[in-house]
Amino acid sequence: MTKLTTFSKLALNILTLLSCCLLASMPKLSAVEIKELSAEELNALHQCEKNFEYNIYFLGRNVGYLERTIKWHKNTALPEATVTSFSEVSYLWLDSTYQQTTTMQYSPKDKHFLTPGFSQKITGLKSRDMHAIIADNGLKSRVTLDTDISYYQVENYPLYDIDTLGTQIRLNLLRGLKHFTLSRQASSRIDTYHFEVAGLDVIEHKKWGKLTTIKVIEVGEHESIVLWFSSKHDHQLIKAELDMIFSPLVWLTNFSLQCEP
């Protein structure tokens, strides 16, 4: 029972902490160039649809998958995208599904992303129905969890959902940042992450072979989070793990993008 309980908690953590970084394709841009992009240039680069597929492993066994799609919209006041995610995890008699729809924007003025709102539904042992509205440039939120309503406020860092948080991590890597702090609106609290770039790390991928990746670790309260990003794959997240006794592993298995000429 201990292993099953641990799995259910870790599966939920993986589903909610998996940082799929979904900024539009910029493989040829340097860190300096991305800082100097105008709103028009950034908006033009974002006219893409991206699709991601991840496999989830637990104790060496494939126990589920996660699929994510991002679609950038035209003719919006700020560069804006809709992100949809769906995941299923099954281990013995424990089954869980995860669905989320997120609206995310890029603020040329502040040079960071914003999350106007998102909706999330999880079924299984940790079932919940969550809707969040985030306002005041990311500093205030209204969260409806099932039928309960709560309000949150922060001072220094905008509140993100997991999709926008992942996007901001990728943007920070493209800018060459080595240390950065980000906050996430969880279901009943605010989680703050202190990320540090640990350096380059060569990993072996079943599909793409040896890859030189950028390894990012969390050095604060959530120090079990370890993320790997591949520059050969649009600086996207290619591997994630919670470094615990029963550590789930998440691997990118397919990645595609469709951009207009």
Side-chain angles (χ1 to χ4, degrees):
M1 176 62 77
T2 301
K3 287 187 178 182
L4 295 178
T5 303
T6 301
F7 170 77
S8 65
K9 292 179 180 178
L10 294 183
L12 180 61
N13 286 338
I14 276 292
L15 292 178
T16 55
L17 290 176
L18 177 59
S19 298
C20 298
C21 299
L22 303 171
L23 190 61
S25 181
M26 298 184 190
K28 297 181 180 179
L29 292 178
S30 68
V32 175
E33 288 173 323
I34 197 169
K35 290 180 180 179
E36 297 174 349
L37 287 176
S38 68
E40 292 77 14
E41 290 170 327
L42 186 64
N43 190 55
L45 286 169
H46 282 167
Q47 302 307 317
C48 284
E49 176 178 330
K50 291 192 175 185
N51 298 281
F52 303 80
E53 296 178 16
Y54 289 85
N55 279 343
I56 302 172
Y57 296 89
F58 180 68
L59 297 177
R61 176 181 174 183
N62 188 338
V63 296
Y65 66 90
L66 184 144
E67 297 176 346
R68 184 161 288 158
T69 298
I70 178 172
K71 291 184 179 181
W72 288 93
H73 307 306
K74 295 181 179 180
N75 304 320
T76 53
L78 293 176
E80 182 177 291
T82 299
V83 187
T84 55
S85 302
F86 181 78
S87 178
E88 288 186 319
V89 174
S90 179
Y91 184 75
L92 299 180
W93 49 269
L94 291 174
D95 297 310
S96 180
T97 65
Y98 165 92
Q99 300 178 65
Q100 179 159 308
T101 300
T102 299
T103 300
M104 68 178 182
Q105 298 174 334
Y106 180 77
S107 171
K109 176 183 176 182
D110 300 310
K111 294 184 173 60
H112 62 63
F113 283 88
L114 296 170
T115 307
F118 66 97
S119 299
Q120 182 187 102
K121 184 174 183 179
I122 295 177
T123 66
L125 192 62
K126 298 285 185 178
S127 62
R128 68 179 181 226
D129 195 349
M130 175 184 177
H131 303 271
I133 298 173
I134 303 177
D136 195 17
N137 206 33
L139 300 181
K140 294 181 180 179
S141 65
R142 179 183 187 270
V143 176
T144 303
L145 183 61
D146 296 324
T147 58
D148 296 330
I149 299 176
S150 301
Y151 297 88
Y152 300 87
Q153 184 170 351
V154 292
E155 295 182 359
N156 300 320
Y157 308 102
L159 292 170
Y160 293 135
D161 77 301
I162 195 61
D163 292 305
T164 316
L165 183 140
T167 302
Q168 187 64 43
I169 292 175
R170 180 178 182 274
L171 178 61
N172 290 347
L173 295 180
L174 286 169
R175 285 175 169 163
L177 299 182
K178 302 299 182 183
H179 306 272
F180 44 91
T181 299
L182 301 172
S183 294
R184 179 178 70 92
Q185 178 64 65
S187 58
S188 57
R189 65 186 185 279
I190 294 171
D191 285 331
T192 299
Y193 303 93
H194 302 282
F195 290 106
E196 180 178 294
V197 177
L200 299 179
D201 189 20
V202 178
I203 64 174
E204 186 73 29
H205 194 283
K206 290 183 178 180
K207 183 175 182 178
W208 295 299
K210 287 187 178 181
L211 295 174
T212 299
T213 63
I214 303 171
K215 185 177 180 180
V216 178
I217 59 176
E218 209 284 332
V219 295
E221 179 183 355
H222 308 275
E223 60 183 8
S224 59
I225 300 174
V226 187
L227 310 170
W228 288 261
F229 298 82
S230 171
S231 60
K232 289 187 176 181
H233 297 80
D234 196 34
H235 284 84
Q236 301 295 342
L237 180 80
I238 199 164
K239 178 184 177 182
E241 74 172 16
L242 296 183
D243 190 13
M244 303 175 70
I245 297 176
F246 304 110
S247 301
L249 285 175
V250 180
W251 286 92
L252 179 67
T253 56
N254 287 294
F255 167 59
S256 64
L257 60 88
Q258 299 175 16
C259 295
E260 295 181 0

